[in-house]
Amino acid sequence: NDLADSCETCEAGTFSSAGSSSCTTCSAGRASSAGAGSCSQCLKGTVAPSSGMSSCSDCVAGRYANSKGMTNCTRCAAGFASSTVGAKAASTCVECEVGTYAASTGTASCVDAPAGSYVPGEGADAYIECPISSYSTTVGATNVSTCIECPTGTYTPSTGSSSQRACVLCDPGKFASPLGGCQVCQRGRFTSSYQQAARSNCTLCDSMTVSPSTGSTNCTPVSVGTYSNLGFAEAVPCSVSNAEVMNDTRLSGSIQAFHRDEELLWYADTSLGSAYSSSTWGLVDLVGPGGDTITALNLSSCDAAASGTTSGTCAVSDAAETCGAVSIELSVGLSNRIPMLMRGYAQVSSEAAGAVYNLSMTLSTSSSIAAASDGWPAESTSDTTVNGLVLEFDPSSSSSSTTYRGWQQQLGSYDPSSPIKRAKATLRYCGHGQVYFALPSLFTSPKLACKCEGGTFLDAPEYNCTRCVAGFGCSGGLKVACGSGTYSFGAAPSCSECRDGWLCSNGLTYPCEAEGAYATGSGGTCATTPAGYRRVDGVNEPCPQGFWSPGGRHAIQCLPCLPGRVTNSTGASECEVCRAGKYANHARDACYDCQRGEFSTDDEGADGQCQSCPRGTFSRYEGTANCTACPLGRYGPKVALGACVECPGAQTTNTTGATSKADCLS
């Protein structure tokens, strides 16, 4: 007994066998209670991460222990989750459903994809953000279709936008693509403001100005001794000959460097007959003759498009099945007759080498602005010249002196019989496989373009320099009619944008003077001034906060809101009444709560000011719409009380609304 009384009890987390002189610590993965003769293995679903544990711990949610004696719980893999505490098997980790994800291991629950993203499959460890120029307000989205395109003329600068508010206006130097989002202006084009960038395309540089880089916000005047025509990216020296133009791969014209979305402007030309009706076409980005990336027109033969190959199976002799033609029209707007040069590039794909046997670009012109209802006539007429210039490419040539990086170049001159208003470039080929056309350019000869100063033009047939009249811009020898929304006063090298508050029509401009009207943004019409605005010198201005306007002929000035009414935003068409319990500030642009002891109503005719609670009443809180009568046992001896005065001692009042201490009775 004395020996037994001298034995000590082992602490929890240790053990001893009979006759031991000391306690042994339990190893990791095992545990014991106080006085244990051995350590027990942790059961499935529990662990002992270190030695000397008094008990095994349950695996937390997102983890599991699938065998006995484990020291650490195993984490569920990313893309899986488990809500079970003390999980005993990997099967408790469940794959995340579509629209949810688990970014890390050991996750207790899957998380919904946040707004601005989506998760299209199961077991995802990340979400996919909506692309640039789109947004999504949906939480837990499962498909990219939930990403909504920004309104035309706007875009999102980054991916993952969760609100339409993230869609901002296209920046200057870009334009609102009809295909969605914003696209960068090509060389030779520009947008200088957010309003211009909201249009469906960039503005071509005027004659004698250039924009050598993409994304330009303006065009710069050319240097002395050089010239440019409409849409030029770089200036051309006046000293170069027509032959030297052939070697200038940078030269661009008004129908070159088309945007990706300008594929909509090209069309299969069926006016050439059934022999040219079989082709598919589109736009593709390639390395251009100058070494930079350009957008080229891609034409494929009928059988190549059908089979998805580049070689095709049609018989070479069967031109009716292997020929195609695509055209594009443009407004040139020349009002003087002047010789022009046309240049273009073509390339035959390596797979189609030797299989193309006709390759050309033709120029057709018209002195009429309005297009015929059935398109260009098949034959030349008094105002239309069909195939006035034909550039023939050699489809078998690949290393001639006029070939650059696989591109073959051709240049031709054209002397129109009358001023050109419209032009059509037609690209055609016969054979198998794919061919590319790029940089079709229409411009004046350097010899003639540099003859006249800005504000004058070459007048045929003597080609004397003549002063430019109002409604036209003259530079580079050309006389160009001002387009919609532009004007000139004469002797102008280019037309100017219509000024605010002015109208522009047929190249002329005059102020909008109609009473209560303003000039629209296009400068084309006078419109009634809308409610919420006032007219100042023909320009609409939104009414400031605290003011309003009914619009129309009365919109000469904005009217201040009456007492008790406010407008907390600009451009208000009416003032809002402050609700009961509030008053309008002096500026009439905000409503504020009445103070304690005051009240206000929103009744028609109320002056919108807070009134003091009369004697015998009170208002305990700010923003009160009416006052409360003092209860029994209390009285209100003065106005504007926030609380009534309690009667002394055990006295009380006979009625509510007492106004004096004398009303307190024993």
Side-chain angles (χ1 to χ4, degrees):
N1 289 338
D2 292 340
L3 181 61
D5 290 341
S6 65
C7 292
E8 297 179 356
T9 301
C10 290
E11 296 179 352
T14 64
F15 75 99
S16 68
S17 56
S20 295
S21 59
S22 63
C23 298
T24 302
T25 301
C26 292
S27 60
R30 295 172 176 268
S32 70
S33 57
S38 63
C39 296
S40 301
Q41 269 190 326
C42 291
L43 300 176
K44 290 182 179 181
T46 65
V47 293
S50 59
S51 59
M53 299 291 292
S54 60
S55 62
C56 298
S57 303
D58 287 334
C59 290
V60 297
R63 307 185 185 195
Y64 64 93
N66 59 355
S67 61
K68 295 180 178 181
M70 292 186 65
T71 58
N72 287 292
C73 300
T74 303
R75 293 171 173 263
C76 292
F80 291 76
S82 171
S83 60
T84 304
V85 176
K88 302 176 182 179
S91 59
T92 58
C93 298
V94 180
E95 198 172 30
C96 292
E97 298 178 350
V98 292
T100 66
Y101 72 102
S104 58
T105 60
T107 300
S109 61
C110 299
V111 181
D112 286 334
S117 69
Y118 62 97
V119 177
E122 297 178 339
D125 59 4
Y127 54 81
I128 302 172
E129 292 186 331
C130 288
I132 287 176
S133 296
S134 68
Y135 67 95
S136 172
T137 59
T138 303
V139 175
T142 61
N143 196 285
V144 69
S145 62
T146 59
C147 300
I148 304 169
E149 287 288 337
C150 285
T152 301
T154 64
Y155 77 111
T156 58
S158 59
T159 60
S161 297
S162 59
S163 169
Q164 186 176 328
R165 290 192 298 271
C167 299
V168 296
L169 292 172
C170 294
D171 296 321
K174 299 179 180 180
F175 73 101
S177 170
L179 303 181
C182 303
Q183 298 292 325
V184 174
C185 291
Q186 294 277 16
R187 300 167 69 234
R189 308 188 187 205
F190 75 100
T191 53
S192 61
S193 64
Y194 289 103
Q195 289 77 11
Q196 284 187 337
R199 300 172 184 171
S200 60
N201 216 324
C202 301
T203 303
L204 293 168
C205 289
D206 286 325
S207 299
M208 306 304 285
T209 65
V210 294
S211 61
S213 59
T214 59
S216 294
T217 58
N218 66 292
C219 300
T220 56
V222 299
S223 304
V224 176
T226 65
Y227 85 99
S228 70
N229 287 154
L230 188 68
F232 270 37
E234 299 200 27
V236 181
C238 294
S239 59
V240 301
S241 64
N242 289 356
E244 289 174 319
V245 171
M246 292 283 287
N247 298 318
D248 186 356
T249 59
R250 302 168 303 167
L251 182 62
S252 59
S254 59
I255 53 175
Q256 66 85 40
F258 15 88
H259 285 289
R260 299 289 292 174
D261 62 318
E262 285 183 342
E263 181 175 353
L264 304 174
L265 302 179
W266 293 84
Y267 60 92
D269 200 330
T270 57
S271 66
L272 302 176
S274 60
Y276 288 92
S277 62
S278 300
S279 67
T280 58
W281 50 273
L283 297 183
V284 61
D285 293 332
L286 296 173
V287 176
D292 55 346
T293 299
I294 62 170
T295 301
L297 184 69
N298 170 26
L299 286 168
S300 301
S301 60
C302 61
D303 56 320
S307 63
T309 65
T310 55
S311 58
T313 56
C314 295
V316 173
S317 60
D318 190 358
E321 294 183 1
T322 59
C323 296
V326 176
S327 296
I328 186 171
E329 294 185 31
L330 71 156
S331 295
V332 182
L334 302 182
S335 296
N336 60 316
R337 182 188 137 204
I338 184 171
M340 305 290 289
L341 299 177
M342 185 172 77
R343 190 187 67 176
Y345 291 88
Q347 182 181 123
V348 178
S349 65
S350 59
E351 295 86 352
V356 175
Y357 54 89
N358 179 281
L359 199 58
S360 65
M361 181 169 71
T362 63
L363 175 69
S364 301
T365 61
S366 174
S367 60
S368 173
I369 295 178
S373 58
D374 56 348
W376 287 78
E379 302 293 336
S380 297
T381 63
S382 60
D383 64 353
T384 303
T385 300
V386 177
N387 300 339
L389 175 63
V390 180
L391 300 182
E392 295 282 355
F393 297 90
D394 181 0
S396 63
S397 174
S398 60
S399 60
S400 67
S401 60
T402 57
T403 299
Y404 306 87
R405 293 178 175 83
W407 292 96
Q408 186 184 159
Q409 180 186 217
Q410 290 294 339
L411 178 76
S413 61
Y414 176 67
D415 190 358
S417 58
S418 59
I420 300 173
K421 299 293 186 182
R422 297 165 54 234
K424 180 180 78 166
T426 301
L427 313 174
R428 67 183 78 186
Y429 84 107
C430 290
H432 301 296
Q434 297 186 86
V435 295
Y436 306 102
F437 286 98
L439 305 177
S441 307
L442 187 64
F443 50 95
T444 52
S445 165
K447 181 179 179 181
L448 294 175
C450 297
K451 185 177 180 180
C452 298
E453 296 180 351
T456 63
F457 68 98
L458 284 170
D459 195 8
E462 292 82 9
Y463 297 122
N464 296 320
C465 296
T466 304
R467 182 184 184 277
C468 200
V469 297
F472 294 83
C474 301
S475 58
L478 305 180
K479 178 184 176 184
V480 181
C482 294
S484 175
T486 64
Y487 74 97
S488 81
F489 289 127
S494 61
C495 300
S496 302
E497 288 280 341
C498 201
R499 294 178 293 179
D500 289 340
W502 288 62
L503 300 180
C504 289
S505 177
N506 298 322
L508 305 178
T509 183
Y510 51 93
C512 180
E513 296 179 344
E515 186 178 8
Y518 72 103
T520 59
S522 63
T525 58
C526 274
T528 301
T529 299
Y533 289 79
R534 65 172 179 170
R535 185 177 70 90
V536 180
D537 296 329
V539 180
N540 276 349
E541 287 186 358
C543 292
Q545 294 182 5
F547 291 79
W548 70 287
S549 165
R553 64 188 183 90
H554 298 293
I556 300 174
Q557 63 181 2
C558 296
L559 305 174
C561 292
L562 295 173
R565 288 167 169 77
V566 297
T567 60
N568 54 14
S569 62
T570 60
S573 59
E574 60 180 356
C575 300
E576 299 179 357
V577 178
C578 289
R579 67 177 179 82
K582 293 181 176 292
Y583 70 97
N585 63 350
H586 180 73
R588 303 288 196 270
D589 60 3
C591 295
Y592 293 93
D593 287 336
C594 292
Q595 300 297 311
R596 293 183 62 200
E598 296 180 338
F599 75 102
S600 72
T601 67
D602 56 4
D603 296 335
E604 190 68 28
D607 62 4
Q609 298 301 307
C610 297
Q611 306 295 322
S612 296
C613 289
R615 294 174 61 206
T617 65
F618 73 101
S619 64
R620 180 176 299 172
Y621 305 105
E622 295 180 350
T624 299
N626 49 63
C627 300
T628 304
C630 291
L632 294 174
R634 294 177 179 270
Y635 62 96
K638 57 183 180 179
V639 299
L641 287 178
C644 296
V645 180
E646 188 175 6
C647 289
Q651 292 181 337
T652 186
T653 59
N654 288 331
T655 61
T656 60
T659 61
S660 170
K661 184 178 180 181
D663 295 326
C664 297
L665 305 173
S666 298

